[in-house]
Amino acid sequence: MADAATTQRVSELREQLHRHNYLYHVLDAPVITDAEYDALFRELQTLEEANPDLADPGSPTQRVGAAPAPQFDEVAHPVPMLSLGNAFDEEELAAWRRRAAGMLERDDFAMVCEPKIDGLAIALTYESGRLARAATRGDGVRGEDVTLNVRTIKSVPLVLQAGVPAPLRMEVRGEVYFPRDAFRRMNEEREYAGESLFANPRNAAAGSLRQLDPRITASRQLAIWVYQLGWAEDAETPPTHWETMQWLRELGFRVNPEIARFESTDDIAAYYERWVRERDDKNYQTDGVVVKIDRLDYQRHLGFVGREPRWAIAWKFPAERAVTRLLSIGINVGRTGALNPYAILEPVQVSGVTVKQATLHNEDDIRRKDIRVGDYVVVERAGEVIPQVVGPDEERNKNRERGPQFEMPALCPACNSEVVRDEGAAAHRCVNTACPAQRFERIRHFVSQAAMDIEGLGEKLVAQLLGSHLACDLETRQTYPHLTEELATIRDLPDIYGLTVEQLAAMERMGEKSAENLVRAIEASKQRPLPPVISGLGIMHVGGETAELLARRFGSVDRLMDATQEELEAVPGIGPIVAAGIASHFANEGNRSIVRRLGEAGVALAAPEGWDAAQADGPMPFEGMRFVVTGRLEGFTRSQAESFIKERGGQVSGSVSKKTSYVVVGEEPGSKRDDAERLGVAILSEDELTALAEGSSC
Ligand code: IVH
C-alpha cells in the first residue's frame, strides 16, 4: 500500500498534469515548457509503477496501454446523431434563415457560426466527470465503440477540469481530425518506408480510429474539436448554444476559438468569406461554415425534417473539384521498382491552384473507375496531397468515342526490362534492380537527411551524376529508356564514395567550393550510425523505426544480410511481410554487391564495439518463445514485463493458444490462467520468469 504522502503527491501530479494538458490542448496557452511537463509526467509514471494500488485509468499516464481489441462493439446512441442540410450560396443561407424566422414568428435571433471540420463525428460519454465511452457516428443510430482509441487523443479529456460542476452523466459531440502537420509527417514517414500513402487527412483519421491496436492510433496524433452537447443528466445546462460552448470549454473540452455569434446574414457572409480566404492556413481541414440558431428553446421548437435539423445549416465551401481532359497516362518507377501511373491533364484551376498532374494509384483502380485516355475526368484536390482523379465525368463523355482500357506496360518504361505483378499485390514492378529510374530514386533516398544525410547532393545533381538529366523530367519523374549511360559519372550508391572534387566541380551550377564541401559531407557520411545506413539501403517497408529494430538485433549489415526469414520474423516488431521484403532484398545478388562495395568504400556497416551490446549481442534466452502475461506482478509493471521478454528475444501476445510457450501469472490472474491449464501450457511465476532469463531451467 502506498503511504499517505505518496498518495497525496500522485493526486497532486495528476491534477497538475490535467491542468497543463488543458492549458496546452484546449486553451492553447501553456504555462510550462515541454521539458517541465515531461518531468512531472515521469515523476507520476515512476510513482505509479512503484505503487500499483494507486492505478487509475483516468490518470494522464493511462492514455495508451490497452491490448489490441478483437473487434469493436456496437453502441446505440441514446440521442441519434444526425446530419446537416447544405447551403451553397448566400441566397440559400438567407432562405434557410427566412424559413426559421417564419416558424419562430420573429426575426431577431442570434446565430452561432463555426467552421465545419472535415473529420469524423464522435460521441463522448462522461460519467462522474470521467470519459466512459467514445463512439463513432455509424448510421446515426448505432456506432462503434472506439473508446480505447479515442483515449489516446490528447485533446480529449480523460477527466473533466476540477472545480467546474459537471452533470453526473453527459454526452459531448465533436469531430476527430488529423492535424495537417501530423498528417504530412506521417505520409513522409510512410513514403520513406515505401508504404502506401493516405489520400487525405480525413481518410487517414478514419483509418486511424478504426485500428484495433490503440498504440497505432496513439502514434497518429489525432485531435478533436467539440461542437455540441449531446445530452446531460441531472444538471442545469445553459440556455444557448454559445453559452454551452463556453461551459464545455471550462469543463476541459477543446472548443474552436473561431466560433462567433451574429444576428445578420451579412455578418455571416463576411465570416464565411474570411474562412474561404484563410482556410488553407489552418492546421485542420474544413469544408464549410456551420450556422446554428443560438437559443436552445428555439432549436427545440424548430426541430428536424428527416435527418436534418431546421435550426442549423452547413454553408459549404466552393468545391475543390474540377473537370478537365486526361491527355495521357504517364508511368514513373519508384526506388523499389513499383510502376506508378499518373494522369497528365489539360491544366485546370482547382480552388486557386493549377493542376496538371494527378495520382492514379494502380491499374486495378484505373480500371475500376473506368478512366480512359481522352476522357473528361473529375479532379479533386484534397488537403495536402497531390490531386487525384476521382473518375470520368460521365455526362461529358456521353457522346464521345472513348479510348481503350488502360493496361500497364509489359516492359519498364525506363529500362525495357520485364514488368511483373507479385501475387496479391496491387502494384506492378520492374524486375531490374539496375533500372536507371530505380537507381535515381535509390540514390535520392540514400543521400537524404534521414539516411546518409549528405548535404549538397540534391536531386538535380543526382540526375546529372547519373547522366539522366537529359532524359529524366524531374517534375514528372518520367525517365526514358534512351538513358545516356555514357554520360554517367556514377551508376549506383557505392560510386558516390569515389566522387572527386574535379568531377563534382565540372557539374552544372557547381563551383570548386561547393564541390569541396560536398566531398567532405560524403566522407563524413561514412560514419553514420547503423540504423540510418540500414534504412538508406531502400529495402521495401524498412523505414527509420524498423531499421532501428534491425540494427539493435543484428548489429551489422552483414549479419542482417544473412538472416533467414524466420530469424527476421522473430525480431519483436517485425511481421512476416517486412521480413519477406528484407529476405528477398538480400536474395538479390545486385543488392548484396552494393553492400559489399559500400563496405569497401569505407562506410561503417556495423555498430561500434559495445554499442547496445546487451541487446545486439546479448543472449537471447527467450528466442522463439511466446509469452502471455496475466495478473498483477510484483517487480514489473505489465509493460516492463513485456519489454523484459521482448528484449530477450521472446514474443508477447494477448491470449493463450497452443502456440503459447509460457503464461506468466501474477496475482488475481483471471481466465488466462484457466486457458493455460486447459491447453496444457506451462505456467511461470514472476521469479521463474527471471530465473528462465538467467538461464536456469524450471
Ligand atoms: S453540428 C444535427 N457542428 O458535420 C447535427 N457538425 O454534416 C449537428 N461537423 O455529423 C452537427 N463540424 O460530423 C456540427 N461545427 C460543427 C461541425 C459538424 C463538423 C460534422 C458532424 C456532422 C456532420 C454533418
Side-chain angles (χ1 to χ4, degrees), residues 76-83 114 120-126 135 137 140-141 170-176 224-231 241 245 248 253-255 292 304 311:
H77 297 298
V79 176
M81 294 180 79
L82 302 172
S83 58
E114 45 199 68
L120 288 97
I122 283 286
L124 306 170
T125 310
Y126 285 78
R137 179 183 130 125
V141 180
M170 72 193 292
E171 188 208 83
V172 172
R173 295 177 177 180
E175 199 85 347
V176 166
I224 194 168
W225 290 120
V226 151
Y227 57 67
Q228 198 185 19
L229 174 66
W231 47 264
H241 176 64
M245 289 296 107
L248 289 180
F253 294 100
R254 189 159 179 258
V255 174
K292 300 172 180 172
F304 293 80
W311 48 264

Side-chain angles (χ1 to χ4, degrees), residues 38 40 46 84 139 177 190 192 228 253 258 346 404 424 431 464 473 511 515 529 612 645 660:
D38 290 344
L40 294 174
T46 313
L84 287 168
D139 62 5
Y177 68 95
R190 291 178 73 89
Y192 186 78
Q228 198 185 19
F253 294 100
E258 310 273 355
E346 202 164 85
V431 294
Q464 271 191 69
D473 179 344
D612 226 348
I645 293 167
T660 310

Side-chain angles (χ1 to χ4, degrees), residues 347-524:
V348 63
Q349 288 277 315
V350 187
S351 50
V353 171
T354 308
V355 172
K356 291 184 273 187
Q357 284 174 25
T359 348
L360 282 169
H361 304 295
N362 53 51
E363 186 185 62
D364 288 349
D365 200 49
I366 299 173
R367 290 191 173 192
R368 192 173 47 77
K369 292 176 177 162
D370 194 24
I371 297 168
R372 302 179 186 209
V373 171
D375 278 358
Y376 285 98
V377 289
V378 180
V379 180
E380 181 179 62
R381 205 169 69 90
E384 323 315 307
V385 255
I386 359 164
Q388 303 193 57
V389 176
V390 179
D393 180 335
E394 274 161 32
E395 199 51 38
R396 290 190 66 179
N397 290 325
K398 224 184 222 159
N399 298 318
R400 288 184 44 252
E401 178 106 11
R402 296 185 70 206
Q405 220 179 35
F406 172 73
E407 258 182 65
M408 268 292 180
L411 299 178
C412 169
C415 72
N416 272 335
S417 299
E418 190 196 350
V419 166
V420 296
R421 184 174 181 178
D422 298 330
E423 210 177 310
H428 288 66
R429 227 165 26 78
C430 157
V431 294
N432 172 20
T433 48
C435 166
Q438 289 188 45
R439 280 189 282 147
F440 172 71
E441 295 295 343
R442 216 158 39 223
I443 295 177
R444 244 169 37 90
H445 174 79
F446 183 73
V447 303
S448 69
Q449 203 181 12
M452 301 311 275
D453 193 19
I454 304 181
E455 210 186 314
L457 194 43
E459 61 178 18
K460 291 210 172 94
L461 185 54
V462 172
Q464 271 191 69
L465 288 167
L466 279 170
S468 59
H469 57 304
L470 304 173
C472 169
D473 179 344
L474 278 182
E475 197 182 330
T476 62
R477 294 242 180 285
Q478 178 85 57
T479 27
Y480 305 99
H482 55 274
L483 190 91
T484 46
E485 284 278 346
E486 61 276 15
L487 292 179
T489 314
I490 62 172
R491 286 181 209 290
D492 221 326
L493 311 182
D495 302 331
I496 295 171
Y497 292 94
L499 284 168
T500 62
V501 173
E502 293 70 44
Q503 281 174 318
L504 287 169
M507 296 290 138
E508 278 167 35
R509 286 188 295 271
M510 280 291 279
E512 190 83 11
K513 192 89 207 117
S514 28
E516 279 170 16
N517 288 342
L518 181 50
V519 167
R520 247 196 307 278
I522 293 173
E523 191 58 30

Side-chain angles (χ1 to χ4, degrees), residues 530-531 548 551-553 555 607-617:
L530 188 56
E548 191 86 42
R552 232 189 261 160
R553 181 71 176 81
E609 278 300 303
W611 175 80
D612 226 348
Q615 288 171 43
D617 303 319

Side-chain angles (χ1 to χ4, degrees), residues 573-595:
I574 300 217
I577 294 177
V578 179
I582 301 167
S584 88
H585 184 90
F586 290 119
N588 179 299
E589 189 39 47
N591 289 331
R592 297 180 78 87
S593 124
I594 285 179
V595 172

Side-chain angles (χ1 to χ4, degrees), residues 97-295:
R97 189 185 179 285
R98 274 197 303 276
R99 280 194 298 275
M103 279 185 76
L104 292 171
E105 295 177 12
R106 62 190 310 157
D107 206 26
D108 60 344
F109 48 85
M111 290 160 286
V112 175
C113 292
E114 45 199 68
K116 184 167 189 299
I117 314 296
D118 195 8
L120 288 97
I122 283 286
L124 306 170
T125 310
Y126 285 78
E127 289 173 358
S128 308
R130 286 163 166 259
L131 177 64
R133 181 175 319 114
T136 61
R137 179 183 130 125
D139 62 5
V141 180
R142 288 169 181 285
E144 282 180 323
D145 184 334
V146 286
T147 313
L148 297 180
N149 288 342
V150 168
R151 283 177 63 91
T152 70
I153 302 174
K154 294 203 179 108
S155 44
V156 171
L158 295 179
V159 175
L160 299 181
Q161 284 301 294
V164 185
L168 194 59
R169 295 183 73 233
M170 72 193 292
E171 188 208 83
V172 172
R173 295 177 177 180
E175 199 85 347
V176 166
Y177 68 95
F178 216 127
R180 285 183 156 149
D181 53 1
F183 173 76
R184 217 175 295 128
R185 275 198 305 273
M186 175 192 65
N187 254 358
E188 277 166 14
E189 174 75 18
R190 291 178 73 89
E191 181 174 23
Y192 186 78
E195 291 167 359
S196 60
L197 302 189
F198 281 106
N200 58 54
R202 212 202 87 85
N203 290 1
S208 304
L209 261 199
R210 297 207 74 260
Q211 292 291 329
L212 289 171
D213 184 345
R215 283 170 303 189
I216 300 182
T217 316
S219 73
R220 300 280 170 89
Q221 307 197 358
L222 302 174
I224 194 168
W225 290 120
V226 151
Y227 57 67
Q228 198 185 19
L229 174 66
W231 47 264
E233 276 176 17
D234 289 338
E236 283 265 314
T237 50
T240 63
H241 176 64
W242 177 260
E243 287 158 290
T244 305
M245 289 296 107
Q246 313 308 321
W247 173 63
L248 289 180
R249 183 182 286 136
E250 283 166 27
L251 279 171
F253 294 100
R254 189 159 179 258
V255 174
N256 196 292
E258 310 273 355
I259 165 170
R261 184 162 51 169
F262 303 112
E263 294 214 352
S264 80
T265 43
D266 283 354
D267 288 341
I268 294 176
Y271 178 89
Y272 173 88
E273 292 305 332
R274 182 171 67 75
W275 266 102
V276 171
R277 282 192 309 276
E278 295 175 4
R279 55 188 290 229
D280 282 347
D281 305 333
K282 304 287 182 209
N283 200 18
Y284 45 91
Q285 281 191 306
T286 50
D287 56 353
V289 160
V290 183
V291 186
K292 300 172 180 172
I293 290 172
D294 191 25
R295 276 180 57 162

